């Protein structure tokens, strides 16, 4: 037998012997662990049950809720909205009694941080507008599109934003309405809101006058019975343009009415999703966390006691 073959056999025997020893050690440790569990099963079960009970009562007495309000900042007031949210948070941190009285809550009310973020919908900004579409394509050629969308300079142009109010208890609708009322407090923007509303009413009235004039022309043509009127109705481009203009004016009036209604506010609340049970992170999970911590702590204590 060659020397190389002998060396290979010796190496294989060493590997097999080492593996056998490791397996034996692991088996011994597993047996010892099972024996440890059996010896301390009562303590382990007791700690698990105590942890579960304490966790249950902790979850019961430490509820976490959040309310989401979808809003529409009117006439470019996104910066104003963000500033007002900062003001609300500062009032909450300072436990400002005047603010609490204004929104109808006490200092003991568990109201937490208020956040605002845009509802990102790039297609609503582009809205089939080729100029905006080309601009967006140019901006994204050498950059990550998602970063551009999330950038404040872009996101502030989204028409809808979401306000999230965190609380440790259920908040009444009246409180939420008062918070929105506080956010909408501004002499400057309220004055602008009134002026814009008056301009929209004037625009709406002018459009209605134009529609009435177009209707009068169309009625006159429609009531004519001679051949020339029929030819005019079918072929004249000016008449077709009048019909198209009427359609555009009707559509514009619809948008103006919606905008006019929204101008009851600086920042218009669109929809409320109130007092949603917050289950993110460790919220409402202490009934599981406490038993794991208690039992895990027992194992750590036993290990330290034995080896140190």
């Amino acid at each position: 037998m060659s020397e190389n073959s002998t060396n290979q056999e010796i190496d294989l025997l060493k590997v097999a012997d080492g593996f056998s020893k490791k397996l034996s050690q692991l088996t011994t440790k597993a047996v010892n662990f099972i024996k440890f569990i059996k010896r301390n099963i009562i303590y382990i079960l007791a700690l698990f049950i105590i942890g579960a009970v304490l966790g249950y009562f902790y979850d019961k007495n430490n509820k976490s809720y959040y309310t989401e309000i979808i809003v529409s900042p009117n006439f470019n007031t996104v910066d104003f909205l963000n500033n007002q949210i900062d003001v609300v948070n500062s009032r909450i941190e300072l436990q400002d009694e005047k603010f609490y009285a204004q929104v109808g809550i006490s200092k003991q009310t568990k109201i937490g941080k208020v956040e605002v973020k845009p509802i990102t919908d790039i297609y609503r900004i582009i809205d089939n507008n080729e100029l905006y579409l080309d601009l967006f394509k140019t901006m994204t050629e050498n950059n990550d599109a998602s970063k551009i969308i999330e950038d404040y300079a872009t996101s502030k142009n989204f028409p809808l934003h979401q306000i999230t109010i965190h609380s440790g208890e259920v908040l009444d609708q009246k409180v939420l309405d008062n918070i929105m009322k506080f956010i909408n407090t501004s002499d400057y923007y309220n004055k602008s809101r009134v002026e814009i509303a008056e301009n929209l009413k004037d625009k709406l009235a002018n459009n209605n006058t134009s529609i009435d004039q177009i209707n009068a022309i169309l009625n006159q043509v429609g009531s004519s019975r001679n051949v020339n009127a029929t030819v005019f109705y079918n072929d004249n481009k000016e008449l077709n343009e009048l019909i198209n203009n009427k359609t555009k004016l009707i559509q514009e009036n619809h948008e103006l009415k919606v905008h006019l209604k929204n101008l009851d506010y600086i920042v218009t609340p669109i929809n409320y999703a109130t007092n949603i049970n917050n289950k993110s992170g460790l919220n409402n999970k202490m009934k599981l966390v406490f038993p794991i911590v208690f039992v895990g702590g027992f194992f750590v204590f036993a290990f330290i006691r034995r080896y140190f």
Side-chain angles (χ1 to χ4, degrees), residues 131-307:
L131 176 61
Y132 288 144
L133 180 60
D134 292 339
L135 179 61
F136 181 72
K137 286 180 178 179
T138 301
M139 292 172 64
T140 56
E141 281 179 355
N142 299 315
N143 295 281
D144 186 348
S146 62
K147 290 181 179 179
I148 292 176
I149 292 173
E150 292 171 1
D151 184 76
Y152 182 71
T154 303
S155 63
K156 67 183 291 185
N157 292 292
F158 291 115
L160 298 179
H161 287 64
Q162 178 177 286
I163 297 174
T164 303
I165 303 172
H166 299 273
S167 64
E169 59 187 57
V170 173
L171 298 178
D172 293 336
Q173 183 63 44
K174 184 177 180 181
V175 171
L176 300 176
D177 291 340
N178 286 338
I179 291 175
M180 284 305 306
K181 184 177 179 181
F182 180 87
I183 291 173
N184 276 279
T185 302
S186 169
D187 291 338
Y188 172 78
Y189 281 111
N190 271 316
K191 183 178 179 180
S192 299
R193 177 182 63 82
V194 173
E195 291 175 351
I196 292 172
E198 291 300 321
N199 291 336
L200 290 181
K201 289 177 182 178
D202 291 340
K203 179 66 175 174
L204 196 61
N206 291 333
N207 284 355
N208 286 331
T209 300
S210 298
I211 291 172
D212 290 340
Q213 291 172 346
I214 293 172
N215 285 336
I217 295 172
L218 294 176
N219 290 334
Q220 182 179 1
V221 173
S223 63
S224 299
R225 296 176 179 269
N226 56 62
V227 176
N228 290 334
T230 303
V231 173
F232 180 78
Y233 179 79
N234 289 326
D235 299 331
N236 194 285
K237 293 181 179 180
E238 292 182 1
L239 186 59
N240 290 332
E241 289 179 3
L242 281 176
I243 296 172
N244 290 333
N245 286 338
K246 177 185 174 181
T247 302
K248 291 178 181 179
L249 288 171
I250 292 173
Q251 178 61 32
E252 185 180 20
N253 275 3
H254 172 71
E255 295 173 358
L256 289 173
K257 288 176 181 177
V258 172
H259 195 186
L260 193 59
K261 184 178 180 181
N262 288 340
L263 281 175
D264 289 342
Y265 303 88
I266 301 170
V267 178
T268 305
I270 304 296
N271 184 65
Y272 290 84
T274 61
N275 301 309
I276 302 169
N277 195 5
N278 187 4
K279 296 182 180 180
S280 63
L282 295 178
N283 290 312
N284 204 37
K285 296 181 180 68
M286 290 302 161
K287 60 179 72 66
L288 299 176
V289 174
F290 278 18
I292 294 173
V293 171
F294 282 20
V295 173
F298 176 76
F299 281 111
V300 171
F301 175 76
F303 178 80
I304 293 173
R305 186 179 179 184
R306 180 173 181 176
Y307 293 101

